Amino acid sequence: MMVLTRKMIEIRTILQKVGQTGALTLPSIVVIGSQSSGKSSVLEAIVGHEFLPKGSNMVTRRPIELTLVNTPDSNVEYGEFPALNLGKITDFSNIQRTLTDLNLAVPEKDCVSDDPIRLTIYSKNVPDLSLIDLPGYIQISAMDQPEELKAKIFQLCDKYIQPPNVILAVSAADVDLANSTALRASRRVDPRGERTIGVITKMDLVDPDRGSNILKDKNYPLRLGYVGVVCKTPQSGGLFSRHVNVLSAITKNENAYFGQHPQFSGEAGVTVGTYSLRRKLMEVLEATMAQSLQGTSDAIHQELEEAAYEFKVQYNDRPLTAETYLAESLDSFKHSFKEFTELFGRPQVRMLLKQELDQRILDILAQRYWNKPFSDLKKARPEDHPLSELSKVEPEELYWHRKLDGSSSALTKLGIGRLATNVVANSLSTQMDQLIEASTFRNHPFAKKAIQDSANTILNERFYATSDQVENCIKPYKFEIEVDDREWAHSRENAQRLLKDELKACEDAYKRLRDQIGGKKLGSAMAFVDKIRTGRAPEMQEGSEALGFSQAMLEKGREGIFLRDRADIIKMRMLALKSKGCATKDNKYSCPEIFMDVVAEKLTSTAVLFLNVELLSEFYYNFPRELDLRLGRHLSQAQIEAFAREDPKIRKHVDLQQRKQLLELALQKMDSLMALEKSKKAQGDET
Ligand code: GDP
């Protein structure tokens, strides 16, 4: 068994993951030959299957790095393209098709590409070997194969036939060896013929004497010698090729042919047959591997030293794996979530909800009480304006009773359940987004989405139950609102504060408007709109442009008037609330702002109780669990890796560390391999 080759192939697989650099390349057997020299036939004989692209135009356009792995304990033969993630391909015609596609993917204008295709074949019928198939040399430049292509193929082959690779120079017996492009190329890089194996194909096409002479070649001596073969592959596509190992068919054929002729017998001193070629390849590669042990080991050492140095300088040797990174990120996120839960409790929910209801109160008041322009207050008939009479309301006046009852039920029948649940759920969702943005997860779309999904799942699940509960519990307020003195006093303060804030908002908006278009312009636009409204500009119709006022400017004028009126009304109402008239609950019909606040306070207090139990507590309990489910141990290794790699900084760290670890592993294997070789040698020396 060729232990060394096998182990070295293992090491090479590790090094390939590191991102192999030139120095780390391990020896392979590079197959070169002219087009139609029989190169593919030889390779397929060694593998035992037809799998290489065939076709009339040049089909090998990229190097194929072919790794053969002997699997003595398995009856399944299959191929894998490690870069493509296609899995195990057991049908060799599929491998052939994939190789053809990969080759044809090279644009016509580029002709050839030096980007290699990696293919590994596992079978109990193949030896452990590492081969590289290259595009065939072009003999005669045909019309559709430009001169330039010839040069490109030469360049590509030259790159691969450098030491420590072994060259398998394929030439056909029916072509004069002096004309063999493969041998000529090999001689340029291996002038003493020390690492070239000559393969002479189509031995059946020449006279046995001539054939035998070629194999004994004196003109182009090679230390590793020549092997003659007859590799005519059985008709492709037939049952034959699919079910019978190509090598055994060819060997049978070769035995029959070479057996007939004494020129090829054991005593003749020539080597013939694909089977012998295969053995030779194994032995030569094994020996080459042995020779390159020290060099490869040194190269790995050097790479490792560089990686270790960089790791120390850049990361102070701090270990980081995708798993630990995810676990740490998740822990720290959960920690910040815990902190958040302590800051966002019942008082905060209460405030949120009350603020929301305050806005609704302002809307309702505006609709039902403040719904006439302020200027109308000064008009002849004070009863035309709802606010003018408010301070003088008699307790039994039905009109005002209905107005206040209507306003209060507009609030209680708003759909408080849904509204309250929505407000809190939206706030939680927004705050989770903020937590994400403040965490390491902000650079990870996958985790970000997982966290958002976690939050939304729980919030959605709890939504209907919570909103129903809340709605149910505020039901009594839809019919009757009792208010005591203490509540009244408290709400009186609230209402004053609310109006004060609203006034400020109005004044700020007015200022912004004025700054935007200038005080003078705004003033005249407002005056003009006023005139239109009061009918003092009859020739003007709203909607038409006039006196240099554009539609947009008229719009601004209207906005200015609205803000001014609203500010005036609010100021007036603030005075009213401050006055003695609004000091007691007995005058509630004159002070709707205060009464509405009483209602809102009651709604809020009741709603908060259920929001807390049904939504907040549930969310706080379930959210970390949901996170574990989506970002914890259930993720596959590949998902965790993909997650960590989303952050470029982390990716660099993990990559470097992985590189270092892989190099360490490769070196460790290398060391034990060298120790093994040493002991084998010592044993050999003793005997
Ligand atoms: P490549 O272009 O160098 O890969 O050559 P192929 O392996 O495709 O072979 C070219 C042609 O030569 C095919 O038609 C093969 O069947 C034929 N061929 C290959 N080896 C032999 C052989 O040993 N004897 C004979 N008679 N034909 C062969």
Side-chain angles (χ1 to χ4, degrees):
M1 241 232 341
M2 305 286 153
V3 180
L4 202 56
T5 304
R6 188 181 185 82
K7 292 282 164 200
M8 289 292 259
I9 285 176
E10 266 174 41
I11 292 174
R12 195 181 58 167
T13 312
I14 298 171
L15 293 177
Q16 273 169 351
K17 281 190 209 145
V18 172
Q20 210 175 10
T21 65
L24 294 180
T25 318
L26 294 179
S28 288
I29 296 170
V30 182
V31 191
I32 53 170
S34 307
Q35 279 186 337
S36 297
S37 57
K39 201 160 63 72
S40 315
S41 306
V42 171
L43 270 172
E44 288 179 340
I46 291 168
V47 172
H49 287 276
E50 270 191 70
F51 70 100
L52 288 168
K54 303 272 153 64
S56 50
N57 69 339
M58 191 201 48
V59 269
T60 304
R61 297 182 183 185
R62 293 169 64 178
I64 302 174
E65 292 189 8
L66 179 64
T67 304
L68 305 184
V69 179
N70 180 250
T71 49
D73 302 325
S74 167
N75 282 325
V76 200
E77 297 180 279
Y78 62 91
E80 265 179 2
F81 293 91
L84 298 189
N85 251 335
L86 298 174
K88 299 178 180 178
I89 309 178
T90 47
D91 182 349
F92 280 75
S93 58
N94 257 342
I95 298 181
Q96 190 172 42
R97 209 167 313 130
T98 308
L99 281 176
T100 307
D101 291 347
L102 289 171
N103 272 298
L104 292 179
V106 176
E108 199 77 39
K109 65 170 175 39
D110 295 350
C111 318
V112 289
S113 150
D114 56 5
D115 177 25
I117 299 169
R118 290 206 176 116
L119 168 64
T120 308
I121 289 174
Y122 299 83
S123 160
K124 66 174 181 186
N125 299 322
V126 298
D128 291 305
L129 273 184
S130 153
L131 297 153
I132 299 171
D133 184 26
L134 291 168
Y137 291 113
I138 303 173
Q139 294 298 70
I140 314 139
S141 288
M143 293 288 275
D144 55 346
Q145 291 175 338
E147 198 62 29
E148 183 197 347
L149 174 59
K150 212 169 157 176
K152 274 193 170 172
I153 294 175
F154 264 100
Q155 269 171 16
L156 177 61
C157 293
D158 273 5
K159 196 176 133 188
Y160 276 93
I161 56 181
Q162 301 303 324
N165 286 341
V166 175
I167 303 167
L168 195 68
V170 180
S171 322
D174 59 347
V175 177
D176 190 353
L177 270 208
N179 290 332
S180 161
T181 327
L183 283 174
R184 245 184 287 152
S186 122
R187 221 166 306 129
R188 267 189 295 113
V189 291
D190 178 27
R192 288 161 49 176
E194 287 180 324
R195 51 185 183 90
T196 304
I197 301 173
V199 177
I200 308 299
T201 57
K202 312 191 186 181
M203 288 295 287
D204 57 325
L205 295 187
V206 294
D207 174 79
D209 283 329
R210 186 176 156 207
S212 155
N213 273 335
I214 298 174
L215 299 183
K216 291 180 194 154
D217 193 273
K218 298 283 182 289
N219 292 336
Y220 309 105
L222 297 174
R223 190 173 64 78
L224 301 172
Y226 287 87
V227 183
V229 296
V230 179
C231 275
K232 209 169 155 174
T233 30
Q235 280 306 298
S236 75
L239 278 177
F240 184 59
S241 63
R242 200 147 304 163
H243 296 293
V244 177
N245 186 287
V246 177
L247 179 60
S248 37
I250 283 176
T251 307
K252 216 165 144 194
N253 199 21
E254 282 179 325
N255 286 346
Y257 177 78
F258 292 122
Q260 278 174 19
H261 305 288
Q263 290 90 331
F264 304 116
S265 70
E267 298 88 60
V270 292
T271 313
V272 290
T274 308
Y275 203 79
S276 313
L277 172 64
R278 208 171 92 143
R279 273 223 72 76
K280 196 179 201 74
L281 294 184
M282 289 157 70
E283 284 160 10
V284 170
L285 188 59
E286 180 86 355
T288 312
M289 291 283 190
Q291 277 166 21
S292 69
L293 276 180
Q294 191 60 52
T296 308
S297 164
D298 292 347
I300 300 176
H301 249 296
Q302 173 139 12
E303 291 279 326
L304 177 58
E305 254 168 43
E306 274 162 28
Y309 177 76
E310 204 183 325
F311 193 61
K312 170 137 194 73
V313 172
Q314 292 215 15
Y315 304 108
N316 201 18
D317 281 338
R318 186 168 63 84
L320 179 73
T321 63
E323 288 94 335
T324 55
Y325 174 65
L326 174 61
E328 278 166 23
S329 306
L330 189 57
D331 269 357
S332 114
F333 186 80
K334 283 202 261 179
H335 184 74
S336 60
F337 175 70
K338 185 94 192 52
E339 281 175 353
F340 163 77
T341 62
E342 278 150 21
L343 295 175
F344 190 79
R346 255 162 74 174
Q348 288 72 29
V349 170
R350 186 176 204 299
M351 207 163 75
L352 262 183
L353 186 53
K354 183 65 191 338
Q355 275 169 359
E356 182 69 27
L357 293 186
D358 280 349
Q359 281 311 307
R360 304 298 170 124
I361 290 177
L362 287 172
D363 292 346
I364 294 171
L365 288 171
Q367 249 172 37
R368 293 173 182 251
Y369 289 90
W370 310 341
N371 54 356
K372 291 263 170 77
F374 186 71
S375 48
D376 291 0
L377 263 179
K378 297 172 212 139
K379 279 174 64 177
R381 298 181 340 149
E383 60 276 22
D384 280 350
H385 199 287
L387 289 182
S388 61
E389 297 290 298
L390 203 49
S391 55
K392 299 170 258 167
V393 172
E394 295 296 326
E396 57 282 355
E397 264 183 85
L398 259 181
Y399 174 80
W400 294 105
H401 284 209
R402 278 209 297 273
K403 217 166 185 60
L404 189 62
D405 288 348
S407 303
S408 141
S409 50
L411 188 62
T412 55
K413 291 180 183 159
L414 200 60
I416 295 291
R418 284 186 74 92
L419 176 82
T421 314
N422 240 332
V423 167
V424 180
N426 286 344
S427 167
L428 283 174
S429 179
T430 312
Q431 303 202 60
M432 291 310 103
D433 285 347
Q434 285 165 0
L435 280 191
I436 296 173
E437 284 312 311
S439 76
T440 43
F441 286 132
R442 70 178 169 279
N443 295 323
H444 296 283
F446 169 78
K448 221 165 156 170
K449 182 160 184 310
I451 298 171
Q452 284 162 341
D453 288 350
S454 299
N456 291 337
T457 305
I458 304 169
L459 294 174
N460 288 342
E461 264 171 18
R462 302 302 311 163
F463 192 88
Y464 289 105
T466 310
S467 105
D468 280 356
Q469 284 268 17
V470 173
E471 194 64 47
N472 246 338
C473 297
I474 58 111
K475 214 177 197 167
Y477 301 126
K478 293 180 182 171
F479 307 106
E480 175 128 46
I481 309 273
E482 303 264 359
V483 50
D484 62 29
D485 291 335
R486 201 185 45 80
E487 286 168 340
W488 185 264
H490 179 65
S491 281
R492 189 177 174 212
E493 277 171 28
N494 282 352
Q496 283 174 323
R497 202 177 321 120
L498 177 62
L499 291 193
K500 198 172 136 206
D501 292 346
E502 184 62 13
L503 177 62
K504 175 141 193 343
C506 267
E507 287 172 345
D508 288 348
Y510 185 80
K511 258 185 231 146
R512 273 199 302 277
L513 189 64
R514 202 186 51 201
D515 293 348
Q516 194 191 347
I517 58 171
K520 238 176 158 174
K521 251 189 180 167
L522 180 63
S524 47
M526 283 167 64
F528 188 70
V529 174
D530 257 342
K531 267 191 202 157
I532 299 173
R533 217 176 40 177
T534 51
R536 275 178 289 143
E539 73 279 18
M540 286 309 314
Q541 290 188 344
E542 282 208 52
S544 67
E545 293 190 11
L547 295 178
F549 291 113
S550 64
Q551 266 309 316
M553 191 53 76
L554 290 175
E555 202 44 60
K556 299 280 180 208
R558 259 173 239 126
E559 200 181 328
I561 287 175
F562 168 81
L563 290 170
R564 183 195 63 198
D565 272 7
R566 186 151 166 126
D568 285 342
I569 288 175
I570 291 171
K571 275 187 226 156
M572 185 186 98
R573 292 308 301 156
M574 282 170 78
L575 281 176
L577 295 194
K578 234 185 192 163
S579 73
K580 268 225 301 281
C582 281
T584 91
K585 64 182 188 266
D586 303 332
N587 287 342
K588 69 176 180 182
Y589 296 108
S590 307
C591 319
E593 295 85 356
I594 301 179
F595 184 72
M596 289 297 277
D597 186 79
V598 171
V599 180
E601 281 283 317
K602 285 179 190 289
L603 291 174
T604 304
S605 303
T606 310
V608 166
L609 289 178
F610 290 93
L611 287 170
N612 188 47
V613 180
E614 296 292 330
L615 193 62
L616 213 56
S617 307
E618 288 282 340
F619 185 74
Y620 287 174
Y621 177 81
N622 286 313
F623 186 58
R625 283 160 183 78
E626 192 73 32
L627 286 181
D628 279 338
L629 215 66
R630 289 170 196 255
L631 289 175
R633 279 162 283 123
H634 302 279
L635 291 187
S636 70
Q637 182 62 31
Q639 282 173 311
I640 296 176
E641 288 271 333
F643 157 78
R645 284 172 181 284
E646 283 175 344
D647 185 330
K649 279 219 304 263
I650 301 299
R651 183 174 61 218
K652 263 184 82 183
H653 191 159
V654 171
D655 277 353
L656 183 59
Q657 175 176 290
Q658 221 167 46
R659 181 181 168 79
K660 191 174 146 256
Q661 283 168 348
L662 285 170
L663 285 166
E664 277 163 359
L665 177 67
L667 195 63
Q668 204 184 357
K669 285 188 179 257
M670 206 69 204
D671 284 347
S672 59
L673 208 52
M674 284 167 79
L676 187 77
E677 277 302 292
K678 225 172 166 176
S679 76
K680 267 201 322 209
K681 232 178 165 176
Q683 273 174 12
D685 288 347
E686 267 171 36
T687 53

